[in-house]
Amino acid sequence: MQLSLRIAGVVSLLAGATGALQVDWSSDDSVKDAASTVAFGLLKYYTGNNTGDTPGNLPDPYFWWEAGAMFGTLVDYWFYTGDKTYNDVTMQALQHQAGEDRDYMPQNQTRSLGNDDQGFWAMSAMSAAENNFPNPPEDQPQWLALVQAVFNEYVTRWDTDTCGGGLRWQVFTFNKGYNYKNSISNGCFFNIASRLARYTGNQTYADWAEKVWDWMKDVEFIDDDFNVYDGAGVEQGCTDTNKAQWTYNAGIFLQGAAMMYNFTEQDVWKQRVEGLVKRTNEYFFDDGIVVERPCEGFNSCDYDQQSFKGYLMRWMASASQMAPFTFDTLMPLVKSCAGAAALQCSGSPSADLYKGPAGTACGFKWTSKEKFDGLAGVGEQMSALSAIQYTLVKKQSVAPVTATTGGTSKGDPDAGRPMEAYMPSLPPISTGEKVAAGFVTSAIAFSVLGACFFVMKD
Ligand SMILES: *[C@@H]1O[C@H](CO)[C@@H](O)[C@H](O)[C@H]1NC(C)=O
Ligand SMILES: *[C@@H]1O[C@H](CO)[C@@H](O)[C@H](O)[C@H]1NC(C)=O
Ligand SMILES: *[C@@H]1O[C@H](CO)[C@@H](O)[C@H](O)[C@H]1NC(C)=O
Ligand SMILES: *[C@@H]1O[C@H](CO)[C@@H](O)[C@H](O)[C@H]1NC(C)=O
């Protein structure tokens, strides 16, 4: 009797500690509370502000780019919730990692720095400009100028020697993946070009966005049905396409296309937005819940891939503002994902997986519509935070600013360096040295899973 009572006590205690987030989705305050709880758990992974650590870095096993993505999520967290708690660490990180040359190419990251890695930091700086995140002191790198630096460097890397154009995945010849051209690197270029066009009104940026899109279509990384594939090798002239479809590739082009539609008001961009919305909805969602197709069903998503869904949430919410005709399609999907993600935020895993309060770790498989699935990490926590916080985007929300509608970030159209200035002469990476290629999507898709899953959903 006594024993069973004690067991019952333990069970109810556990149940109390592991209940999912309670969110009243009709109340902004309740949504903000939930976002705050999840954000608190996310920041427990961050050690860059500890004495002796480097601001802006996440500890192993998280790559540099994911930290950049995290601080972009936190810029938006502040913008939508008004909670300034993490503004200081966000400012410090986005400034420190701008690096020696104010272009998000810090020397420490040379071994792992691809065009996409640099791009994720640039997109976070762009969000800071668009949201009027506090400006750094005048002698420090400014948000808009940082994005322009990355844009200008991308222009110098546009490679017409192979595949008729496009950015390679990697910047440096000695990094693994230099011979691959991919959608995420070109997506970063397209994304910041379209946003710079809208923010500054400078047509040069729009012309480059157009050029990247056209090239993506030419090599059929985006096909006529608006599938967005991973990439292809340059030796084969970009014909051996790896057809894995990742949520963030669809999302990064969706937001950029919506920006271009907003900037140009052209029907051709409206049709592209419509195409991407339709295909994204069909391909990635099961009953309104997003699934990372190439890996989620196989329990094989790596640390990078575990974070992709959150960026799709971010870019869908943004597209719903820049192309308001998509709002009634996109925002119900963000909301259904948020509900499912919040159910997952009930975990109490061991401290090596999660250091936040018990009962607040977020799992990965939102389709399970159940409690915590046991997977915890920066990707899971950040994706859940994204889904939850972006439900605060309203039809009549205050739109991101531009230079003529209240934007205060200072630009420098000439920022960045010519290619010769940053090509270091490093010896080739020796075997055994950690090859920290920021993204490993292609390798995973080919070697672990084979090609069978590509036909899983059509
Ligand atoms: C680092 O930032 C986190 C999140 O804001 C905070 O909880 C922690 O106390 C900070 N650590 C230091 C050493 O300032
Ligand atoms: C590069 O690494 C050194 C040594 O860990 C560190 O002090 C410095 O802050 C790092 N620089 C950047 C931009 O991360
Ligand atoms: C561009 O975005 C603004 C802000 O959301 C919106 O009011 C406007 O209608 C959009 N333009 C077009 C052509 O949809
Ligand atoms: C527009 O952007 C291009 C590319 O950075 C730059 O060369 C040009 O000076 C800019 N034009 C204006 C008017 O700022």
Side-chain angles (χ1 to χ4, degrees), residues 39-40 42-44 46-51 74 84-90 92:
F40 186 82
L42 175 61
L43 266 293
K44 289 284 175 192
Y46 183 57
T47 52
N49 61 339
N50 292 346
T51 313
L74 290 174
K84 297 189 177 114
T85 305
Y86 308 112
N87 281 16
D88 289 349
V89 284
T90 300
Q92 186 196 34

Side-chain angles (χ1 to χ4, degrees), residues 197-261:
R198 176 181 170 273
Y199 190 95
T200 65
N202 184 332
Q203 183 62 31
T204 307
Y205 299 123
D207 292 345
W208 271 100
E210 195 89 45
K211 187 167 173 156
V212 178
W213 179 278
D214 290 347
W215 179 79
M216 288 287 295
K217 287 288 294 169
D218 284 348
V219 291
E220 294 181 49
F221 288 179
I222 299 179
D223 73 10
D224 289 342
D225 295 322
F226 294 92
N227 292 298
V228 186
Y229 302 121
D230 188 71
V234 299
E235 287 100 342
Q236 296 78 19
C238 292
T239 55
D240 62 332
T241 308
N242 169 357
K243 292 205 163 176
Q245 293 193 59
W246 304 97
T247 52
Y248 75 158
N249 279 327
I252 204 166
F253 281 96
L254 172 60
Q255 186 197 28
M259 290 279 169
M260 286 301 285
Y261 169 64

Side-chain angles (χ1 to χ4, degrees), residues 261-262 265 321-324 399:
Y261 169 64
N262 200 278
E265 299 188 9
Q321 292 187 291
M322 292 297 103

